[in-house]
């Protein structure tokens, strides 16, 4: 198989895209810490909230979302429960299954962080769109 022919601009675009993503992740981590959460706790709250429209997240669902081992996810959820951001609720049809739900405090903390993140994405969105378009064009040629 022939090596792909990449231009200097391809490398510059990939580097700029990775830089923009890392800047956003750094922004996100800082915002979470300023809100009194670890970045992983913030991501867990977002994952639990996202799963509520499908009936809720189990520990296994959250572990998959976070790309974590089950026992690490249990420890993370235990800390969120102690902080009063999350509750565990038994499934009414299968008592062995437990769903995670955000508390009012968890909802409020996540809403605050999410609006900050959406504002940042609105700010950097045009840059990301341009870089994605350049990479898509380069991949198609």
């Amino acid at each position: 198989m022939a090596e792909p022919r990449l231009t200097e601009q391809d490398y510059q675009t990939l580097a700029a895209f990775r830089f923009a993503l890392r800047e956003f992740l750094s922004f996100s981590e800082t915002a979470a810490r300023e809100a009194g959460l670890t970045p992983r706790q913030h991501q867990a709250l977002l994952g639990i909230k996202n799963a509520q429209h499908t009936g809720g997240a189990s520990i296994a669902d959250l572990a998959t979302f976070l790309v974590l081992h089950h026992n690490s996810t249990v420890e993370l959820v235990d800390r969120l429960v102690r902080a009063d951001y999350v509750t565990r609720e038994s499934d009414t049809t299968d008592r062995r299954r437990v769903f995670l739900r955000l508390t009012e405090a968890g909802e409020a903390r996540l809403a605050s962080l999410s609006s900050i993140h959406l504002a940042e994405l609105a700010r950097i969105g045009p840059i990301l769109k341009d870089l994605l378009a350049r990479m898509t064009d380069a991949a198609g040629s």
Side-chain angles (χ1 to χ4, degrees):
M1 186 164 127
E3 286 278 324
R5 294 184 188 260
L6 299 172
T7 67
E8 286 302 312
Q9 185 170 343
D10 293 334
Y11 289 111
Q12 290 170 0
T13 301
L14 285 168
F17 185 74
R18 284 188 56 89
F19 179 71
L21 290 177
R22 292 197 47 77
E23 273 191 317
F24 178 74
L25 290 174
S26 177
F27 163 86
S28 180
E29 291 168 1
T30 299
R33 286 186 183 98
E34 287 175 355
L37 297 171
T38 67
R40 185 145 293 155
Q41 287 173 326
H42 171 222
Q43 191 176 1
L45 294 179
L46 192 57
I48 294 166
K49 178 68 174 178
N50 182 57
Q52 286 181 345
H53 75 279
T54 60
S58 66
I59 294 285
D61 297 331
L62 187 60
T64 298
F65 179 79
L66 296 173
V67 191
L68 283 178
H69 292 288
H70 185 270
N71 60 332
S72 298
T73 306
V74 169
E75 292 172 15
L76 175 61
V77 169
D78 287 345
R79 288 191 297 277
L80 290 169
V81 168
R82 281 194 300 275
D84 192 38
Y85 294 133
V86 172
T87 61
R88 289 179 170 97
E89 297 178 6
S90 295
D91 186 344
T92 56
T93 59
D94 181 354
R95 298 303 245 170
R96 295 169 297 172
R97 188 166 162 92
V98 174
F99 289 111
L100 305 170
R101 303 264 188 254
L102 298 182
T103 63
E104 282 188 37
E107 290 273 1
R109 187 63 49 106
L110 181 59
S112 173
L113 273 169
S114 294
S115 70
I116 292 167
H117 280 73
L118 289 172
E120 178 65 5
L121 284 170
R123 186 186 74 76
I124 67 170
I127 296 165
L128 291 174
K129 279 183 180 179
D130 177 60
L131 290 168
L132 280 171
R134 284 196 264 164
M135 287 187 301
T136 303
D137 290 346
S141 56

